[in-house]
Amino acid sequence: MERPIETKNFFSDIEVEVLKKFYSTLPKTVNNDGPEKAYTTGFEFNNLPIKKFRSRLKNIFGEFGVATSHFLQEWDPWTIHTDHQPTGTEINSTDITSKPYYAVLFPLCTQNLQTHTVIFNEVQTENGNTWSKDHNDKVKTLNANESSLLDHVDQNELRKVTINKILPWKVGNMIGWHRKYLHSSDNFHNAGIKEKLALVLFLNH
């Protein structure tokens, strides 16, 4: 399985509030890109206060390991990147012998406004910071809506990718994509969102 996925109502409203309360108890971790970008606050997966969480995920993904579990509190939208790290290098890894599998994201707060994660068709498994050097320009161009969602991304980079799926963030839902695919946040500032919050898991398989 490699296609982007969306599961509606994965968490109940009560479970969303439980997760937000759990996040409020954790010491926050500033992302490497700085405090104006995001907090990426890690925790031990087995400490999540959600009943049968692993078995519910297993029904969708089959057997998996959890490489990284963190909460993402984001103020500045990500541009194009990959979540595919070399095996065994992930922080908080509970399974370092298997290969990168899915990135799974559970929106917890969007200020009741629309935001998305954009998944591209292009794959990057090495040299994530310099991915654009490994891809050529594409003939296909973005339509007006796509261009608006991605107007924070360098145009030279946008010419090197084609869109596979635009996954909307809806509180309580789950979205996921294989970690080898390039992807990006949309420019959620255009929707009036100042910050957003999600639970994020990087799975191995």
Side-chain angles (χ1 to χ4, degrees), residues 80 116-120 146 149-150 162-167 169 177 181-187:
I80 300 173
H116 314 77
T117 296
V118 181
I119 314 302
F120 301 104
E146 294 165 345
L149 291 176
L150 296 168
T162 54
I163 292 177
N164 180 319
K165 188 80 171 179
I166 299 175
L167 296 171
W169 284 37
W177 56 92
Y181 287 105
L182 291 169
H183 58 283
S184 175
S185 170
D186 66 3
N187 188 356

